[in-house]
Amino acid sequence: MIIAPGFTTTEIRKRALMADGAEQGESPRDEHKLMPPAYVAKWVLKGIRKKKRNKLLTWDGRLTALFQRIVPDLVDWAITMNCRENQNLRFNNNFL
């Protein structure tokens, strides 16, 4: 099964390393807007029981999958641009 939960609240952000090797400490994301691990686990178990092949838990993921089937080159370009934009933000804010 492939499951795409989107961003999930975990302790990993507290141990993430920045470019200089120091721990990041706090998350650059608003943790209140992220999915709790129990919610993701519930959907994983439900998918296993129902023998699902895929489960996209966010509307962003569902729309991306739909558009990927219709206009794959456009989606690839948009994802590339988003990654470049986020990479610049990380470097400018010392998040990487």
Side-chain angles (χ1 to χ4, degrees):
M1 178 174 72
I2 297 172
I3 187 158
F7 289 104
T8 307
T9 56
T10 65
E11 297 292 316
I12 197 166
R13 288 176 185 80
K14 293 182 180 178
R15 300 286 180 235
L17 300 179
M18 297 189 342
D20 63 0
E23 288 184 357
Q24 185 176 5
E26 55 184 79
S27 174
R29 300 192 177 280
D30 183 0
E31 295 281 333
H32 294 87
K33 294 181 180 179
L34 307 183
M35 290 183 193
Y39 178 81
V40 176
K42 177 184 92 170
W43 281 102
V44 169
L45 292 173
K46 190 174 181 178
I48 291 169
R49 281 190 211 111
K50 293 189 173 198
K51 298 183 176 166
K52 295 285 186 179
R53 296 183 81 183
N54 300 304
K55 184 62 183 167
L56 305 171
L57 296 183
T58 65
W59 282 105
D60 289 347
R62 292 175 187 151
L63 286 173
T64 301
L66 174 66
F67 284 121
Q68 183 70 34
R69 291 180 180 153
I70 299 169
V71 285
D73 291 340
L74 179 62
V75 173
D76 290 347
W77 175 83
I79 290 172
T80 299
M81 291 298 111
N82 185 273
C83 288
R84 286 182 183 165
E85 188 176 298
N86 286 334
Q87 185 177 20
N88 289 336
L89 285 174
R90 285 187 196 139
F91 282 122
N92 292 338
N93 293 321
N94 294 323
F95 285 139
L96 184 63

